[in-house]
Amino acid sequence: MGYSAVLNLSHPLSATTVSVFPGDPKPSFDTIATVASDGFYLQTVSVGEHTGTHWGAPAHFTPGAATADQLDPEDFVLPGVRIDISEQARHDPDYALGVADLIAWQDRHGPFPAEAAVLLHTGWEKYWGTADFAGPDAQGRLRHPGFSVAAVQWLLDHGVLGRRGALGTDAFSPDVGTDDTFRVSKLLYRDHRLSLEILAHLAELPPRDFTVVVGGFVTEHGSGSPASIYALLD
């Protein structure tokens, strides 16, 4: 076995989940067969493509870009790094990871791998399943930390995000919640790059030396999928 442990980075998909992006449908489950009546158990599930732990394909924000069925298998298996901004986010819900944070991480942990999944541990997981996960302010804006545009451009310029790669977060989006123009997402969603959102258990990850494996629906013309995402630790 080429890894020491497997860590689940996904929340279970549940009909009781209340934290869906404003306007998105809530998941629903209907039992259509039971062992007692039919000899087997089966549910139907209705869910949006970006509900719960999920990944987004480039077509989600980029017209003409790759849909779920146009991605390559290699796009879903990436070297991973974890950057912890949970302390900063505890004091500032609008904290945006900056270039200085990236350089400080690199000085401490060594060079970033190429075409990587860069996972941002903001600590927002503690709000999952509650109204505070979105944290709307008096103006109705979402409130959660994310990546700055400058940091994502640095990752692109240095090959950390290449033709493939991913940004990940335990919050709703790689964008800071108050940015309703989604500048980070639009910068990310090109070529075959993914967004991994509403991740779980990032506090248990080391800063580096793991592989991210992403699963989910591969639907025709899909913009993404609810996902099971795992980290294989070296």
Side-chain angles (χ1 to χ4, degrees), residues 47-107:
V47 64
E49 290 179 318
H50 294 255
T51 297
T53 301
H54 67 276
W55 54 266
H60 185 45
F61 271 111
T62 306
T67 54
D69 54 317
Q70 295 171 330
L71 294 168
D72 300 324
E74 294 85 356
D75 299 328
F76 298 95
V77 182
L78 301 166
V81 300
R82 186 209 65 170
I83 302 175
D84 187 351
I85 62 164
S86 58
E87 185 61 23
Q88 296 95 316
R90 189 168 68 86
H91 299 284
D92 180 4
D94 305 316
Y95 188 83
L97 177 86
V99 172
D101 295 308
L102 295 174
I103 293 172
W105 186 97
Q106 186 168 248
D107 288 345

Side-chain angles (χ1 to χ4, degrees), residues 7 15 20 31 35 48 60 65 73 84 97 111 115 127 137-138 146 155 224 227 231:
L7 183 62
V20 295
T31 300
V35 175
H60 185 45
D84 187 351
L97 177 86
E115 299 194 327
Y127 299 122
D137 61 16
L155 293 168

Side-chain angles (χ1 to χ4, degrees), residues 202-227:
L202 296 186
E204 301 174 38
L205 278 175
R208 62 178 310 141
D209 299 327
F210 59 91
T211 300
V212 175
V213 180
V214 180
F217 305 141
V218 180
T219 52
E220 189 174 15
H221 310 307
S223 71
S225 174

Side-chain angles (χ1 to χ4, degrees), residues 32-43:
I32 62 170
T34 65
V35 175
S37 298
D38 306 285
F40 62 95
Y41 172 54
L42 183 67
Q43 297 182 104

Side-chain angles (χ1 to χ4, degrees), residues 20-23 94 131 133-144 172 177-180 182:
V20 295
F21 197 82
D94 305 316
F133 191 77
D137 61 16
Q139 289 74 44
R141 299 177 303 173
L142 300 184
R143 301 293 296 275
H144 63 71
F172 257 136
T178 54
D179 183 6
D180 58 6
F182 306 106

